Amino acid sequence: VSPVDLLSVMSFETGGSFDPAQKNLAGSGATGLIQFMPDTARGLGTTTQQLAGMTRAQQLNFVDKYFSTKGIQGGSLSDLYMGVLFPAAVGKPDDFGLFGRGASTFGSTDYSKPIFYDQNRSLDINNDGSITKGEAAAKVEATKKRYAKFGDQSMTGSQGIDTQASY
């Protein structure tokens, strides 16, 4: 996983603050650098309250633990972000429906229900009532491009450092 991709996801998820205590503004109960949901935090052996009290460095241990279970090794920024937003979409095409019209049911959750669309409405680039993987990923791609403006050489792979983590 590219460090720049991970930073782009964390920047997007925290509104650019990189605040480990950042609460989800749509009211989902998510918290932190990658917006851990309460059930996800519990599955990692912590709580969103404990995550909110951590430093960035401490919370990164849980980010690493989370991604180590997602099978995104060497994946794209799109799949890395799906690992956070909608893990069932990892490896799916860009037209895969996440929320709203055309979305699927996974487990017992019907993601076509209005609440899921409403919480993620800002990702619907064309305002058609449906959020696709490509639309959601485009928002994070735009965040990554802002980093490129500041001359981050890892964007082009021109630095001689290993930018691949072993998730």
Side-chain angles (χ1 to χ4, degrees), residues 99-102 117 121 123-132 135:
F99 307 109
R101 191 173 43 249
Y117 177 82
R121 180 183 305 272
L123 300 175
D124 187 2
I125 293 173
N126 62 6
N127 294 312
D128 67 351
S130 177
I131 300 167
T132 65
E135 285 177 304

Side-chain angles (χ1 to χ4, degrees), residues 130-159:
S130 177
I131 300 167
T132 65
K133 177 182 177 178
E135 285 177 304
K139 295 285 190 158
V140 181
E141 287 284 351
T143 299
K144 182 177 179 176
K145 286 178 183 171
R146 283 196 296 276
Y147 285 118
K149 289 181 185 178
F150 297 107
D152 185 332
Q153 296 300 310
S154 67
M155 298 290 295
T156 61
S158 62
Q159 286 182 322

Side-chain angles (χ1 to χ4, degrees), residues 98-101 103-105 108-119:
L98 304 177
F99 307 109
R101 191 173 43 249
S104 300
T105 299
S108 61
T109 306
D110 178 0
Y111 289 98
S112 66
K113 288 186 177 180
I115 187 169
F116 297 107
Y117 177 82
D118 291 344
Q119 288 177 335

Side-chain angles (χ1 to χ4, degrees), residues 1 7 39-40 42 45 54 61 70 74 84 86 93 97 101-102 117 119 124 126 136 144-145 147 149 151:
V1 173
L7 285 171
D39 285 346
T40 302
R42 279 190 293 279
M54 294 178 185
N61 290 318
K70 296 299 167 202
V84 171
F86 202 98
R101 191 173 43 249
Y117 177 82
Q119 288 177 335
D124 187 2
N126 62 6
K144 182 177 179 176
K145 286 178 183 171
Y147 285 118
K149 289 181 185 178

